[in-house]
Amino acid sequence: QNNGIDFSSPPGTRARAVFDGEVTKIVAILGANYTVLVMHGEYLSVYQNVIDLKVKAGDMISVKQEIGIIYTNQDENMAVLHFQIWKAKEIMDPEKWISK
């Protein structure tokens, strides 16, 4: 089950915050690198598969601020970011949070 969306992008792509908020937690997940959780009031954004972090827990960040580099799978030569938005325990449509 996928509770969000996956973005494929070229190697070296940076993960950026979708809205102002506070980095509440950073978790290392085997096979998924780092996951960064950012609180935006009553909403939570999740950025998974990030390396070379530019933030730490407790940081206040701004919209479009760099969080880190999206890990590149060398076999596919593609960076894939898994992204989720939650409101409390309810999964939201993350596409409404993406800058176009």
Side-chain angles (χ1 to χ4, degrees), residues 38-51:
V38 180
M39 286 299 299
H40 316 273
E42 60 185 323
Y43 293 89
L44 175 76
S45 59
V46 179
Y47 309 80
Q48 188 177 64
N49 204 29
V50 181
I51 59 172

Side-chain angles (χ1 to χ4, degrees), residues 9-29:
S9 56
T13 300
R14 290 162 169 63
R16 299 185 309 162
V18 294
F19 202 75
D20 297 344
E22 179 181 359
V23 178
T24 56
K25 195 171 200 177
I26 297 174
V27 180
I29 298 177

Side-chain angles (χ1 to χ4, degrees), residues 49-91:
N49 204 29
V50 181
I51 59 172
D52 194 18
L53 297 174
K54 307 296 183 195
V55 297
K56 62 184 180 316
D59 284 354
M60 298 302 294
I61 59 175
S62 302
V63 64
K64 297 188 179 182
Q65 181 174 334
E66 183 178 341
I67 293 171
I69 305 294
I70 303 169
Y71 173 76
T72 298
N73 178 316
Q74 298 303 320
D75 294 335
E76 298 175 10
N77 199 34
M78 186 68 61
V80 178
L81 176 73
H82 180 71
F83 176 69
Q84 299 177 11
I85 294 287
W86 293 82
K87 182 177 182 184
K89 294 182 180 181
E90 179 184 358
I91 187 70

